[in-house]
């Protein structure tokens, strides 16, 4: 939502008053009460650093202030992703196909529009893994996203989401390059909970992908995930932690040929079902079936006998 200086000042005053704060309560060494008064009346603007300072004085995060500015609604991209997640959760491939047609019909699409079309393709692929049909992202589109990610110096939640969705359509070497870019280029935003959770989820998926392909870089990703866990509270990323526990068992089964690890995966799936985390249990069950398909139990037993 784009605001004029006058609208922004008026909005700020409404928020300040709603939070029962006076001009003096919000004023500081960088912004005086008189400067704030002029800002609220639309007579002057505040630089970004001063605006952030006074928002902080409201005891609000930048995200909360921006959310309020947007009428207490998600921004356009968040709304778009929310709709994709909802369609995937309800297995509504018709909605995704209609949305894809909308973006495919745009002549000379912007980068954002093309990215949205590609994201729809990745969601179709994810959904079709469960409903049994085939759907793929073109190499041209996958390369487009990979090239974009390699060009970005500072990653936000947007780039992490793109990597999380596109990783299944690019080669292992490119995934490794991009994943390390994500780790080192997200420094500015990694303490934001939403970003930290997205990175955790993305790293878990990469970790699993490396295990499935028996790529030794899985050691690196396990260590990075453990570092995130060591700096997180017990209540953070519950579903991601469950998936990581599942993934470590997956590693033990595939790499070390441990049948006990296979039993542990089954216990995790059963536990998740008891908790009625249907989305998580469906995902874990699909991964479990995929593991057995690629590394059959009979093959492991024969290897043990030898």
């Amino acid at each position: 939502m784009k605001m004029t200086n006058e609208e922004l000042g008026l909005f700020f005053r409404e928020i300040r008053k709603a939070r029962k704060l006076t001009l003096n309560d919000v004023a500081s060494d960088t912004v005086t009460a008189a400067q704030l008064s002029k800002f609220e009346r639309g007579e002057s603007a505040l630089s970004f650093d001063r605006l952030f300072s006074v928002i902080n004085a409201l005891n609000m995060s930048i995200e909360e202030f921006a959310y309020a500015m947007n009428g207490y609604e998600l921004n356009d991209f968040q709304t778009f992703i929310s709709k994709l997640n909802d369609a995937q959760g309800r297995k509504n491939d018709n909605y995704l196909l209609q949305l894809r047609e909308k973006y495919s019909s745009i002549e000379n699409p912007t980068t954002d529009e093309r990215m949205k079309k590609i994201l729809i393709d990745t969601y179709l692929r994810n959904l079709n893994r469960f409903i049994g049909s085939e759907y793929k992202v073109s190499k041209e589109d996958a390369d487009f996203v990979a090239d974009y990610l390699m060009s970005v110096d500072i990653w936000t939640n947007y780039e992490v989401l793109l990597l999380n969705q596109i990783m299944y359509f690019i080669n292992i070497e490119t995934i490794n390059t991009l994943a390390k870019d994500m780790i080192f280029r997200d420094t500015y935003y990694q303490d934001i909970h939403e970003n930290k959770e997205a990175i955790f989820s993305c790293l878990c998926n990469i970790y699993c992908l490396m295990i499935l392909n028996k790529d030794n870089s899985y050691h690196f990703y396990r260590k990075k995930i453990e570092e995130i866990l060591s700096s997180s509270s017990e209540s953070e990323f519950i579903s991601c932690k469950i998936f990581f526990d599942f993934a470590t068992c997956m590693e033990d089964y595939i790499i070390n040929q441990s049948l006990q690890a296979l039993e542990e995966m089954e216990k995790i799936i059963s536990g998740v079902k008891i908790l009625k985390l249907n989305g998580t249990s469906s995902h874990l069950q699909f991964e479990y079936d995929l593991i057995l398909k690629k590394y059959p139990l009979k093959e492991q037993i024969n290897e043990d006998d030898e």
Side-chain angles (χ1 to χ4, degrees):
M1 178 181 179
K2 188 174 182 179
M3 288 185 172
T4 64
N5 289 335
E6 185 176 358
E7 290 170 333
L8 180 57
L10 178 62
F11 175 76
F12 183 88
R13 181 173 65 184
E14 290 174 352
I15 293 292
R16 175 179 63 76
K17 288 187 173 182
R19 296 185 63 73
K20 309 300 181 186
L21 296 168
T22 67
L23 287 170
N24 286 328
D25 289 331
V26 180
S28 64
D29 293 339
T30 57
V31 186
T32 67
Q35 289 172 323
L36 272 175
S37 180
K38 287 184 177 181
F39 166 63
E40 289 185 350
R41 295 197 303 270
E43 296 174 3
S44 65
L46 292 179
S47 61
F48 280 116
D49 57 337
R50 289 185 175 184
L51 180 60
F52 292 162
S53 173
V54 295
I55 291 173
N56 186 58
L58 294 175
N59 297 317
M60 294 178 73
S61 68
I62 299 299
E63 294 91 342
E64 289 170 330
F65 188 81
Y67 184 59
M69 280 180 64
N70 202 43
Y72 299 96
E73 295 180 354
L74 299 174
N75 63 37
D76 289 343
F77 185 72
Q78 289 170 326
T79 300
F80 175 77
I81 295 300
S82 178
K83 289 179 179 178
L84 295 187
N85 286 330
D86 181 62
Q88 181 173 292
R90 291 186 292 109
K91 296 181 171 58
N92 189 350
D93 57 334
N94 285 331
Y95 173 80
L96 292 175
L97 288 168
Q98 290 171 7
L99 197 60
R100 186 184 189 279
E101 179 62 28
K102 170 187 171 182
Y103 282 96
S104 297
S105 65
I106 298 174
E107 293 185 13
N108 301 316
T110 63
T111 296
D112 178 65
E113 289 168 340
R114 184 173 180 184
M115 288 296 188
K116 285 180 176 177
K117 196 277 290 183
I118 296 171
L119 281 171
I120 295 167
D121 286 346
T122 67
Y123 272 78
L124 277 166
R125 175 265 182 189
N126 291 341
L127 178 56
N128 288 330
R129 292 170 73 197
F130 294 98
I131 63 178
S133 58
E134 289 291 329
Y135 201 89
K136 295 183 179 180
V137 172
S138 71
K139 184 179 185 302
E140 181 183 4
D141 281 343
D143 289 344
F144 177 79
V145 178
D147 289 343
Y148 165 80
L149 292 174
M150 287 183 180
S151 72
V152 179
D153 291 329
I154 297 177
W155 283 40
T156 64
N157 198 47
Y158 176 76
E159 283 75 27
V160 177
L161 173 64
L162 287 175
L163 176 58
N164 205 5
Q165 292 297 118
I166 207 69
M167 70 173 71
Y168 304 101
F169 306 99
I170 53 182
N171 61 55
I172 294 295
E173 292 76 17
T174 303
I175 294 171
N176 271 315
T177 299
L178 290 173
K180 289 170 184 176
D181 281 348
M182 175 185 71
I183 292 167
F184 297 113
R185 294 183 184 182
D186 189 65
T187 305
Y188 297 101
Y189 301 99
Q190 62 187 359
D191 290 331
I192 297 174
H193 177 81
E194 183 183 14
N195 287 46
K196 192 174 182 181
E197 184 175 20
I199 291 170
F200 190 101
S201 174
C202 189
L203 287 175
C204 281
N205 286 331
I206 293 171
Y207 171 50
C208 288
L209 196 58
M210 296 304 165
I211 294 169
L212 278 170
N213 288 277
K214 291 190 175 182
D215 186 289
N216 285 331
S217 60
Y218 71 83
H219 294 288
F220 172 81
Y221 297 109
R222 177 171 17 92
K223 181 179 178 182
K224 287 299 174 183
I225 295 168
E226 289 169 346
E227 287 175 3
I228 294 175
L229 285 175
S230 67
S231 64
S232 305
S233 67
E234 286 294 322
S235 60
E236 285 187 293
F237 322 135
I238 297 299
S239 61
C240 292
K241 286 179 178 177
I242 292 172
F243 188 67
F244 179 60
D245 288 342
F246 181 88
T248 56
C249 294
M250 172 181 165
E251 175 190 334
D252 200 17
Y253 173 68
I254 293 175
I255 305 300
N256 301 320
Q257 303 170 3
S258 168
L259 297 182
Q260 183 179 352
L262 196 67
E263 294 173 0
E264 288 299 318
M265 282 189 276
E266 293 169 354
K267 288 179 182 178
I268 291 172
I269 294 172
S270 297
V272 171
K273 287 180 179 177
I274 291 172
L275 293 173
K276 296 184 177 179
L277 298 174
N278 298 329
T280 303
S281 63
S282 296
H283 180 59
L284 293 181
Q285 186 65 57
F286 181 88
E287 294 298 333
Y288 177 85
D289 294 340
L290 181 64
I291 292 164
L292 285 182
K293 183 177 180 180
K294 189 165 185 176
Y295 298 100
L297 180 61
K298 183 178 179 180
E299 175 184 317
Q300 299 289 3
I301 292 174
N302 288 340
E303 289 177 4
D304 288 344
D305 290 341
E306 291 175 7

